């Protein structure tokens, strides 16, 4: 093993062991602090200037092969052009070069590869404040979220993938002696060796809203198991992925490997390259986060590859009964407001019985429940500075347009407002739109309306709510399911529903945890068991499919 | 958990633990003896009569749902009609019933399901002599192979799958408490539960040559992880699968589960049902052994399912140099003769340098090597009784016809002969056809010629042999690769080749182990990494994709 790779592994071995313990126990743990206070003050202060210094010029990565051209037209959702350009490698030459680099990476073994991955993650962690700037000004996330979700939480998901990969690879012994008794005769003896062999090139197609959080699991799961990785960022969020690629290339080179093992292939909306790359016979793994249409296209067409997709879904909350509505409404107000509903985990459909719900303070009508939710959002976002710090900016113009288009889909309980950002006057800041619909207006709420658009759906009763959620999620999928009840019998029905539609359940959240948050090492993000996703972040299936075991055997002498 | 399921689990717990230890250490181990002497003498003696008693009448299984009709026209390759008929369930009704039975099986938990699986395997083991009769008279395997491969070795592969499933499910804790510090404030506390949730219905499409060995891994991996299993046997080899289903249904019923959780759906060559079943949205897992054409059709079309296929390939041996040719030729003669080349692991292409090879006794010409191989087969099969006990009978008429068709593909080194079976005069017994071709006659040897048909391919040198094997296997796949060399530098090249084409390597076998044999718990059968198969028997990926994890979480109190 190259010297540096071994020293990287030794340096991070304890972190690795703790991560493996955490994915087994599912208890709280993280090596990457989520408080800015725990990062060097200088790094935090310098981050905006460091980001500024990247603008209006080319962003350089290692030039492995011929360059097809320059791309890059990122515009911050906060209202300015980044002006950064990136080399677009010529795909065929790049693929050939990456394939040539694969055997050395494979033969280096699991310790070397995992050591390199852990060092990349450590360096990414150290530059979290700077990455936060890049995430903020591509995704539109607010500063705190861009830091936490784009930095330490994304690194957590990357480390989690490395831990799963290490665990899976460690289960396969490097060698074994097989001694089969033959009665009175000498036993049959075979000396066997077992090699972890990568599937081939890995393509990670990143999204514009979580360019690091949704990219790191596939990147690190593939890289740790020996597969070279092509990062194909969303044209609107290239920079955070490019910064990641640069760190990966630095570490790979220091460890004596070809830096092309992690390569960036940016493109433009006018000339997308993802389909061409996805169908290349050399590409054997594809991770994708984004639209259902493209995800399903990959699943049906890239049959030469193992395909891991996270797509759209109808995240749902069912309200049966509550102790006190106020903390529930506050909890849901946060969920609906955070990043203006642009999380893949944000609730879209809230099922409430038409006849109202029981609370500890007596029965509340449907309109009282709906009104309390609308008022809670209103109040939560009343202070404009706080609102902007929660909502962030809308990543895509299409999402802004969708808000207007959806107004007519139901009765407006709370209208979406445009807000002026205190610091960035041209930022696209919009508050949630909350609509009231009847259960039979299924077309309205059973199609994903990406962005700050949610529906309170009036149902016959909780049984009806469960039936509707079951039907809609079976057809369209979901990544999150919330539910509220004071009745353990009903709680058991929710648990059964969650299993039947393979969606993680958050029950009675009314404190400082939200249905749209998911913690690495403990929460499985998505399940892979409903139409919203073919994979969970992160489970055994997420890594086990990325390598095969190739053995050799020859006659041996019994030892 | 139902009482019986718990007692089954307790009864077999030690076996399970030993199996888990074996798949981790890859050392020799088995709980199922492969010597008939270790089975009750009565059972061994009674087996032929018990088989006879099944003939010329309906074979009854539990009637879960409406019956569409009767099928069954099995003909023993030893020359007589079985005359057994089987109910063919009406597919839609069966699927609905199986889906309804799934939640109870899922909710019973891993111990209950694994207990049932282990009891099924134990009962199958006890009836191995009888199953051997069914395997013999459907596949055409000779009695000893039908017993070993159809009985204990098949059960080993089933138990191996259960061990992998148990290991994967055991990694997921039933519950966890997540306590996240909040500085001076109280920590956030969540109580979490994790459920193993099956993907859905599992379809196992069995083959005619190894109706139990190739069926048990998928059956038991799916069943242990909670998925109801539809067994779709080959129309020519229904009985061994039906006997298996009957045992599974008995045990399921005793444990308090719906016996339809393992259901048989037999069909006919005229009205096949596999495609219809494979595209049913309820079917989420498919295991298939058979032709590349149908396997690839499944991979491309059954995109709603996880598809595990084992298809055709060009199994290869490369001869570079040997100490002594005689034991090598004897070893290969056994490989080519066993079950008349109808194993998915039988060598088809043997690459030998045109200029001959080095041995400890000096250089041998290509013709000397080829001649030694041909003579070794001839000698091994000279005694007709022994020949018949090794060759068995040819399962399908198409294979007999293929022997004749292939004679013109090269220069005949050893012609295939029809033999008369001492006990079954109408048995289809045929010895291997061995052809000499030049490397440039690629069309001849690079297409699978299923049956006792092999090619000795004259190459420029070992480097050329390696290049050809690499090219052919990259395109067509392979399940086995053998190689012979006395030079460790060349051995390392073979090891590299094996990794590059993801094919298990057997090096310098010249004793009592053969390239076409694969031992459960130690040898990975296929890899899933080349076109011959998308799965290995058995590895982590084989089970991890059969279930998802669904969690629930709610606020808790720190304990």
């Amino acid at each position: 093993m190259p010297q540096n790779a071994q020293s990287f592994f030794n340096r991070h071995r304890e972190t690795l062991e703790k991560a493996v313990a955490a994915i087994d126990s599912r208890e709280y743990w993280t090596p990457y602090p989520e408080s800015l206070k725990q990062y060097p003050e200088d790094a935090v202060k310098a981050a905006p200037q460091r980001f500024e210094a990247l603008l209006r010029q080319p962003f350089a990565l290692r030039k492995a092969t011929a360059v097809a051209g320059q791309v890059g037209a990122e515009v911050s959702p906060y209202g300015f052009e980044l002006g950064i350009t990136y080399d677009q490698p010529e795909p065929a030459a790049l693929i050939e070069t990456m394939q040539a680099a694969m055997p050395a990476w494979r033969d280096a073994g699991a310790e070397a590869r995992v050591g390199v991955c852990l060092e990349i993650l450590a360096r990414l962690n150290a530059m979290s404040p700077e990455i936060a700037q890049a995430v903020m000004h591509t995704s539109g996330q607010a500063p705190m979220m861009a830091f936490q979700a784009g930095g330490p939480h994304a690194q957590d998901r990357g480390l989690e993938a490395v831990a799963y990969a290490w665990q899976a690879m460690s289960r396969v012994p490097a060698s074994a002696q097989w001694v089969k008794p033959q009665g009175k005769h000498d036993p049959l003896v075979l000396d066997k060796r077992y090699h972890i062999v990568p599937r081939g090139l890995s393509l990670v197609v990143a999204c514009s809203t979580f360019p690091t959080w949704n990219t790191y699991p596939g990147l690190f799961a593939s890289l740790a198991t020996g597969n070279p990785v092509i990062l194909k960022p969303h044209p609107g969020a290239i920079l955070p992925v490019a910064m990641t690629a640069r760190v990966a290339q630095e570490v790979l080179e220091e460890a004596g490997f070809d830096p092309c093992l992690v390569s960036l292939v940016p493109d433009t909306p006018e000339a997308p390259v993802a389909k061409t790359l996805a169908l290349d016979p050399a590409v054997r793994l594809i991770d994708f986060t984004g639209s259902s249409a493209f995800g399903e296209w990959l699943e049906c067409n890239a049959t030469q590859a193992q395909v891991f997709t996270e797509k759209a879904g109808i995240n749902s909350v069912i309200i049966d009964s509550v102790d006190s509505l106020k903390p529930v409404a506050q909890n849901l107000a946060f969920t609906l407001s955070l990043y203006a509903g642009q999380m893949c985990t944000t609730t879209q459909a809230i099922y409430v019985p038409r006849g109202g719900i029981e609370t500890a303070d007596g029965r509340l009508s449907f309109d009282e429940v709906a009104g309390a939710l609308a008022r809670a959002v209103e109040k939560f976002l009343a202070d404009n500075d706080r609102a902007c710090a929660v909502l962030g900016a809308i990543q895509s113009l299409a999402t802004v347009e969708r808000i207007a288009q959806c107004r007519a889909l139901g009765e407006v309980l709370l209208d979406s407002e445009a807000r002026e950002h205190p610091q960035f006057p041209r930022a696209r800041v919009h508050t949630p739109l909350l609509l009231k619909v009847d259960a039979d207006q299924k077309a309205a709420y059973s199609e994903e309306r990406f962005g700050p658009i949610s529906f309170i759906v009036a149902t016959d009763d909780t049984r009806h709510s469960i039936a509707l959620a079951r039907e809609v999620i079976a057809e369209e999928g979901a990544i999150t399911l919330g539910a509220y009840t004071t009745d353990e019998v009903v709680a058991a029905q929710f648990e059964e529903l969650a299993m039947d539609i393979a969606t993680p359940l958050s029950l009675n959240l009314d404190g400082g945890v939200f249905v749209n948050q998911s913690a690495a090492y403990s929460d499985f993000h998505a399940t892979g068991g409903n139409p919203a996703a073919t994979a969970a972040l992160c489970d055994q299936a997420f890594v086990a499919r990325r390598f095969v075991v190739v053995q050799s055997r020859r006659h041996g002498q019994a030892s």
Side-chain angles (χ1 to χ4, degrees), chain A residues 17 117 156 346 389 534:
Chain A
E17 282 165 2
C117 288
D156 278 331
T346 304
T534 64

Side-chain angles (χ1 to χ4, degrees), chain A residues 54 57 155 182 192 203 206 315 325 347-348 542 555 559:
Chain A
L54 295 171
Q57 60 186 295
Q155 294 142 19
Q182 297 292 296
K192 303 189 180 185
L203 171 67
N315 299 317
L325 186 59
T347 304
Q348 174 172 309
F542 191 72
H555 294 297
S559 54

Side-chain angles (χ1 to χ4, degrees), chain A residues 44 58 79 97 104 112 131 151 153 162 177 198 225 307 315 393 420 500 539 542:
Chain A
V44 175
T97 306
I131 287 177
H153 294 176
V162 175
Q177 189 168 68
T225 51
V307 178
N315 299 317
E420 182 159 332
D500 290 349
D539 63 8
F542 191 72

Side-chain angles (χ1 to χ4, degrees), chain A residues 524-546:
Chain A
F524 293 100
H525 174 80
T527 67
N530 73 51
T534 64
L537 303 181
C538 210
D539 63 8
Q540 297 173 78
F542 191 72
V543 298
R545 297 161 63 183
R546 293 177 196 259

Side-chain angles (χ1 to χ4, degrees), chain A residues 111-136:
Chain A
E111 285 199 7
R113 292 193 302 265
V114 164
V116 165
C117 288
L118 295 172
E119 178 65 17
I120 295 169
L121 283 164
R123 293 192 194 179
L124 288 171
N125 181 246
M127 60 191 286
S128 294
E130 195 180 334
I131 287 177
Q133 292 288 318
V135 169
M136 176 181 168

